[in-house]
Amino acid sequence: MSVMTEAIIGAGEGTASPGATGPGTQVLVPTYEGDYVLDEHLLLECGRTLAGVTLHYAVYGRLNAARDNAVLVCHALSGSAQVGSWWPEIFAPGAVLSLKQDFVICINMLGSCYGSTGPGSVDPETGAVYGPDFPLVSIRDNVRAQALLLDSMGIRRLRLVLGGSLGGMQALDWTIFSPERVERALIIAVAPVSAMGLALNHLQRLAIQHDPDWAEGHYLPQRPPRRGLALARQIGMLSYKSAALLDERFGRNPNRNGEDPWGLDDQGGGLIGGRFDIAGYLDHQGQRFIERFDANAYLAILRTMDTWDPLHGHSSPTEVFSRIRARLSFVGISSDWLFPPEAVRHFAHAIRAAGVQADYREMTSAHGHDAFLAEQAELVRLLQ
Amino acid sequence: MSVMTEAIIGAGEGTASPGATGPGTQVLVPTYEGDYVLDEHLLLECGRTLAGVTLHYAVYGRLNAARDNAVLVCHALSGSAQVGSWWPEIFAPGAVLSLKQDFVICINMLGSCYGSTGPGSVDPETGAVYGPDFPLVSIRDNVRAQALLLDSMGIRRLRLVLGGSLGGMQALDWTIFSPERVERALIIAVAPVSAMGLALNHLQRLAIQHDPDWAEGHYLPQRPPRRGLALARQIGMLSYKSAALLDERFGRNPNRNGEDPWGLDDQGGGLIGGRFDIAGYLDHQGQRFIERFDANAYLAILRTMDTWDPLHGHSSPTEVFSRIRARLSFVGISSDWLFPPEAVRHFAHAIRAAGVQADYREMTSAHGHDAFLAEQAELVRLLQ
């Protein structure tokens, strides 16, 4: 047993502290948060290896003596290991997870800028920051690295692995590539990225590449490609929201700061004009994002997302999906246009057709793809 | 009667020549194509005036002696006056327009780069190119200028005014602001731009503004903001296509030129990777577009589009729509997510509720917003 595992097993339950996610919700403080460095090189699917791989992770609750109460939560594109901060309501009493009974682990994805090895890390083999030379790390590569971390904790089997969007991709790959280690998986709002999704990701990528400050990925920390990353995030944001939600929230209102879209040229010339409210909102979201995220990390994870397709290189779905032993539950979101509910349902049915226990439920929400984060209480109700 | 009108009345029908729009279709050559310069200054809704306004236009067919066979076709964002080139199938025998019976006029929008006054024109009052100082020209301003051109031809009344997208906005404004001059209007795939539409236009605008070559709109003709305009067009393209169409055409295929999205770093680093087919397609579309369109013109027309709302500044729909005397026909496109069919139908119903004769039909197509251009034969069938 490692020092870290001792700390975890010895520690009490995650403590709750007042949070900022909404009335009645609380942000949970992890039992432990830290780094795990893999002993071995990680051989990636793309053929390259990563040395000295660090996984940053957070745990909540306590691992029981039998080590059979572990749950793995997988995060989405710009998420972090602190699942208690971004998904607190699934820990509510009677919800999906219980800090009294579960030992919840969340591991930052490789390629991210939240603690695990990514493009901003130093390559121990060269002593230089990876930057644009950071390789393609697949979802399956992530799962293999995560499994090594669980090995170090003495956890052989997960009661549940779950996630939405990119997190759902990881959850499914767990069931395919470590079938004997997963009892149940909950896969929310995801299917292999559609042509529209690939297109949206491509345009986000271009937005960053077009920023002269990107410097082909060799930008200086003090001069990152802010405008490009902000625009990428704004394109992404549109795909996470439904048109109905935007109409309801913003409509055709002028920006709430008083700009006038019909007005004379006080906002940078007659070609531009005052912003509508939705434009002000998107600009604000872009600004918030560049304060917390890194452009190369964004590019790395977009590529991880794009290339995920469990059937890639296989001739039949059965060949792949029949490996699964876990019981799967899929959730589609009624207003999601990035991963439309029909695509999620179709994907779930294809897996069930391979003899896997898989059910599909639909969450009714106007929030779009984001609903699994924006309407957590609704999600919990659906899952109960 | 002006010299131009004599030429038109004297000319024969539009001649057909083999075209490139598809099997069986022909591109029509205009009876006449030329410029009309307004005698008077154009006072714009925004409060500014434009001097020496030029309207570039094309006509097809022959104006009859009673001058009561005129039809006005209004073009969309990046269209031109040459409606016979971009909408040839509505001229097919038995289709919507007849070169034997109709005199068809199409006028390039103000703000465009296809011959009418726009940001690339010289302001006769200053002797300098307008550039970013080109003012907001509303749809209604366009209609007023177009009416002056029709006056010069001695045309008091239009048998029909029609258009899709921005063209439909012009068609409707004709019926509101020149009610006595329009008998029928055909308005396709349009309603006031939704919050999602405003958002998409905002991001297109940002893509151009972020290009350092844009130079706040003062770019040199030999160094336009190519990458920004290409990205803007690519964002727009996504909103013109349906997800189902992209899935069918491109799916998750690697780019047809042989790039490998899963491959090693032969395509600009591990963060970027080989493109998928949809990305190659979008890049190609972006490249094609920058060869034919101007960035400032694009910005000007985006603003024209965003600000169009016949009810803006009015307290009741009835106050505005009850002015209409024409019979209106609206068409929504089943797979259109930029102007969803429900929005078009809802808009048509609101107008009908004001006592206007207005019907609504839905075109079933997988093509998305573009269907009125991409599936002209289908559109013609619906309208027959």
Side-chain angles (χ1 to χ4, degrees):
Chain A
M1 190 189 295
S2 71
V3 175
M4 278 174 295
T5 316
E6 299 237 32
I8 295 160
I9 294 182
E13 292 156 17
T15 51
S17 65
T21 58
T25 64
Q26 295 189 305
V27 168
L28 304 177
V29 176
T31 312
Y32 178 83
E33 181 170 1
D35 293 336
Y36 175 71
V37 181
L38 302 195
D39 295 332
E40 49 195 289
H41 284 34
L42 189 67
L43 174 60
L44 304 172
E45 279 198 276
C46 72
R48 281 180 55 183
T49 55
L50 280 180
V53 169
T54 298
L55 292 175
H56 186 78
Y57 68 101
V59 299
Y60 302 77
R62 184 164 41 179
L63 186 61
N64 64 19
R67 295 170 195 253
D68 64 1
N69 67 330
V71 171
L72 180 66
V73 180
C74 304
H75 70 72
L77 208 168
S78 66
S80 72
Q82 295 181 354
V83 55
S85 302
W86 53 262
W87 221 5
E89 294 182 56
I90 65 164
F91 292 90
V96 181
L97 303 178
S98 159
L99 289 183
K100 293 206 194 306
Q101 281 152 27
D102 298 314
F103 177 64
V104 178
I105 308 152
C106 185
I107 307 169
N108 186 222
M109 287 184 75
L110 295 170
S112 176
C113 53
Y114 287 145
S116 291
T117 297
S121 305
V122 171
D123 179 354
E125 313 241 293
T126 65
V129 167
Y130 286 105
D133 299 321
F134 189 76
L136 167 60
V137 181
S138 69
I139 295 286
R140 184 180 179 179
D141 293 330
N142 271 282
V143 167
R144 287 181 48 248
Q146 290 165 7
L148 294 170
L149 168 54
L150 297 196
D151 287 346
S152 80
M153 294 176 175
I155 297 168
R156 284 302 305 160
R157 194 164 163 84
L158 293 164
R159 178 177 85 67
L160 173 65
V161 52
L162 73 163
S165 202
L166 262 166
M169 296 178 181
Q170 296 167 69
L172 185 65
D173 266 16
W174 262 97
T175 71
I176 297 172
F177 299 111
S178 291
E180 73 291 349
R181 295 184 75 162
V182 184
E183 191 174 321
R184 279 193 57 214
L186 173 57
I187 296 154
I188 303 166
V190 83
V193 182
S194 68
M196 180 63 88
L198 293 172
L200 287 159
N201 284 353
H202 179 62
L203 300 189
Q204 291 171 59
R205 195 175 286 120
L206 288 183
I208 294 171
Q209 290 181 273
H210 284 190
D211 188 327
D213 288 337
W214 184 58
E216 309 293 320
H218 296 286
Y219 52 84
L220 302 173
Q222 65 273 28
R223 196 190 168 109
R226 292 182 204 279
R227 300 182 94 188
L229 180 60
L231 180 54
R233 175 65 168 181
Q234 291 175 302
I235 297 170
M237 286 295 287
L238 283 192
S239 70
Y240 308 152
K241 306 289 184 191
S242 76
L245 183 81
L246 300 184
D247 270 338
E248 185 197 317
R249 288 218 178 143
F250 306 100
R252 293 185 46 81
N253 300 329
N255 194 12
R256 55 195 69 186
N257 70 356
E259 294 175 45
D260 178 8
W262 291 272
L264 281 172
D265 314 334
D266 53 350
Q267 297 290 337
L271 298 181
I272 306 302
R275 290 175 300 176
F276 285 88
D277 205 29
I278 178 64
Y281 166 78
L282 286 173
D283 287 348
H284 176 68
Q285 292 297 323
Q287 287 307 307
R288 276 181 55 184
F289 193 65
I290 60 178
E291 287 162 17
R292 75 172 177 91
F293 217 78
D294 170 66
N296 280 348
Y298 198 81
L299 292 172
I301 299 180
L302 283 183
R303 197 173 174 206
T304 299
M305 179 179 176
D306 276 358
T307 51
W308 182 72
D309 180 357
L311 301 183
H312 178 66
H314 295 273
S315 54
S316 96
T318 307
E319 178 188 335
V320 176
F321 296 139
S322 63
R323 300 169 51 95
I324 298 172
R325 294 287 165 267
R327 279 184 297 126
L328 310 188
S329 292
F330 287 83
V331 174
I333 297 164
S334 59
S335 57
D336 188 345
W337 66 276
L338 183 58
F339 294 100
E342 313 84 65
V344 180
R345 192 180 62 228
H346 183 264
F347 190 50
H349 287 182
I351 291 174
R352 194 157 65 192
V356 178
Q357 270 195 287
D359 62 62
Y360 170 80
R361 296 175 216 198
E362 199 159 305
M363 178 179 171
T364 302
S365 168
H367 277 255
H369 184 61
D370 251 2
F372 72 96
L373 298 171
E375 295 212 301
Q376 299 182 22
E378 271 307 307
L379 176 66
V380 166
R381 256 191 293 281
L382 179 77
L383 296 174
Q384 272 165 343
Chain B
M1 190 189 294
S2 72
V3 175
M4 278 174 295
T5 315
E6 298 236 34
I8 294 160
I9 293 181
E13 290 156 17
T15 51
S17 65
T21 57
T25 65
Q26 296 188 303
V27 168
L28 304 178
V29 175
T31 311
Y32 178 84
E33 180 169 0
D35 292 337
Y36 175 72
V37 181
L38 302 195
D39 294 333
E40 52 196 286
H41 284 34
L42 189 67
L43 174 60
L44 304 172
E45 279 198 277
C46 73
R48 280 180 56 184
T49 56
L50 279 181
V53 169
T54 297
L55 292 176
H56 185 79
Y57 69 100
V59 299
Y60 302 76
R62 184 163 42 177
L63 187 60
N64 64 18
R67 295 170 193 251
D68 64 0
N69 67 331
V71 171
L72 180 67
V73 180
C74 304
H75 71 72
L77 207 169
S78 66
S80 72
Q82 296 181 353
V83 55
S85 301
W86 52 263
W87 221 4
E89 294 183 55
I90 65 163
F91 292 90
V96 181
L97 302 178
S98 160
L99 289 184
K100 293 202 194 306
Q101 282 154 29
D102 297 316
F103 177 64
V104 178
I105 308 152
C106 185
I107 307 169
N108 186 224
M109 288 184 73
L110 295 169
S112 177
C113 53
Y114 286 146
S116 291
T117 297
S121 305
V122 171
D123 179 355
E125 314 241 293
T126 65
V129 166
Y130 286 105
D133 297 321
F134 189 77
L136 167 59
V137 181
S138 69
I139 295 286
R140 185 181 178 177
D141 294 329
N142 271 282
V143 167
R144 286 181 49 250
Q146 291 165 8
L148 294 170
L149 168 55
L150 297 195
D151 288 347
S152 80
M153 294 177 176
I155 297 169
R156 283 303 305 159
R157 194 164 164 84
L158 293 165
R159 179 177 85 68
L160 172 65
V161 53
L162 73 162
S165 202
L166 262 167
M169 297 178 180
Q170 296 167 69
L172 185 65
D173 265 17
W174 262 97
T175 71
I176 297 172
F177 298 112
S178 292
E180 73 292 347
R181 295 184 75 162
V182 184
E183 191 175 322
R184 280 192 58 215
L186 173 57
I187 296 153
I188 303 166
V190 81
V193 182
S194 68
M196 180 63 88
L198 294 171
L200 286 158
N201 284 352
H202 179 62
L203 300 189
Q204 291 171 59
R205 197 175 284 121
L206 288 182
I208 293 171
Q209 291 182 272
H210 285 189
D211 188 326
D213 288 336
W214 184 59
E216 308 293 320
H218 297 284
Y219 51 86
L220 301 174
Q222 65 272 30
R223 196 190 167 111
R226 292 181 205 279
R227 300 181 94 188
L229 180 60
L231 180 54
R233 175 64 169 183
Q234 292 174 303
I235 296 170
M237 285 295 287
L238 283 191
S239 71
Y240 308 151
K241 306 290 184 190
S242 76
L245 182 81
L246 299 185
D247 270 338
E248 185 196 318
R249 289 217 178 144
F250 306 101
R252 293 185 46 80
N253 300 329
N255 193 13
R256 55 195 70 185
N257 70 356
E259 294 175 45
D260 178 8
W262 291 272
L264 281 172
D265 314 335
D266 53 349
Q267 296 291 337
L271 298 181
I272 306 301
R275 290 175 301 175
F276 285 88
D277 205 30
I278 177 64
Y281 166 78
L282 286 173
D283 288 349
H284 176 68
Q285 292 296 323
Q287 287 308 307
R288 276 181 54 184
F289 193 67
I290 59 179
E291 287 161 18
R292 74 172 178 92
F293 217 80
D294 170 66
N296 280 348
Y298 198 82
L299 293 172
I301 300 181
L302 283 183
R303 198 174 173 205
T304 299
M305 180 179 176
D306 276 358
T307 52
W308 182 71
D309 180 357
L311 301 183
H312 178 66
H314 295 274
S315 54
S316 97
T318 307
E319 178 188 334
V320 177
F321 296 139
S322 63
R323 299 169 51 96
I324 299 172
R325 293 288 165 265
R327 280 184 297 126
L328 310 188
S329 292
F330 287 84
V331 174
I333 296 165
S334 58
S335 57
D336 188 346
W337 66 275
L338 182 58
F339 294 101
E342 313 84 65
V344 180
R345 192 179 63 228
H346 183 263
F347 191 50
H349 287 183
I351 291 173
R352 194 157 64 192
V356 178
Q357 270 194 286
D359 62 62
Y360 171 80
R361 295 175 217 199
E362 199 159 303
M363 178 179 170
T364 302
S365 167
H367 278 255
H369 184 60
D370 252 2
F372 73 96
L373 298 172
E375 295 211 303
Q376 299 181 21
E378 271 307 307
L379 176 66
V380 166
R381 257 191 292 281
L382 180 78
L383 296 174
Q384 272 165 344

